[in-house]
Amino acid sequence: VSVPPGPSCIFCRIVAGTADASFVYEDDDLVAFMDINPVTRGHLLVVPRAHLPGLADVPPQVGGRMFVVGRELAAALRAGPMTTQGINLFLADGAAAMQSVFHAHLHVIPRFRGDGFRFVRDHWSGSPDRTELEADAAAVRAALGGAEA
Ligand SMILES: [Zn+2]
């Protein structure tokens, strides 16, 4: 589902100024703007200027900045006029994870009691025991290779 940078990518067009967006933040690496299809009022997106399709393509420094800016925007939403009661930070990596624009982005979603936005787990209701958790943890540690702390 990969899309090349440039006119076929809506976020590249927004970064280039050839598609409209309502910006709230810009720096050398990132922009942030209102989601055109918000799940709640005030829903923001933090987007690298570079066309980085997935999470693994995002350099650590840019990813770190995405989180820092997302955190600042969350504070602004909480301080602002929309009476935000909570925040979800959400990053969808891959179609199976509900990524729909293949230019990495972090959602900053203001939450309000009763807003109706839910994560629903209705297809897998596993309750693994400690043995299974330890086996999965070992598999993840092995995949990390030398990267573990
Ligand atoms: Zn792009």
Side-chain angles (χ1 to χ4, degrees), residues 34-141:
M34 308 302 297
D35 193 310
I36 199 170
N37 188 20
V39 301
T40 61
R41 185 178 172 207
H43 181 169
L44 301 169
L45 301 175
V46 181
V47 179
R49 288 186 183 276
H51 183 80
L52 307 166
L55 183 58
D57 303 306
V58 177
Q61 192 163 347
V62 174
R65 286 289 304 152
M66 288 172 76
F67 187 86
V68 167
V69 169
R71 179 181 174 278
E72 289 172 1
L73 295 175
L77 287 166
R78 280 183 174 274
M82 290 183 256
T83 65
T84 301
Q85 296 171 316
I87 300 285
N88 282 121
L89 297 182
F90 181 70
L91 191 150
D93 182 43
M98 304 185 300
Q99 185 175 8
S100 57
V101 175
F102 289 84
H103 177 140
H105 53 286
L106 178 66
H107 295 263
V108 181
I109 304 171
R111 299 304 308 273
F112 311 90
R113 276 187 193 84
D115 64 26
F117 179 49
R118 299 172 61 202
F119 289 93
V120 178
R121 187 184 78 167
D122 57 1
H123 296 297
W124 188 73
S125 55
S127 35
D129 62 21
R130 182 59 53 195
T131 303
E132 293 169 288
L133 292 171
E134 284 295 330
D136 287 349
V140 173
R141 286 195 301 268

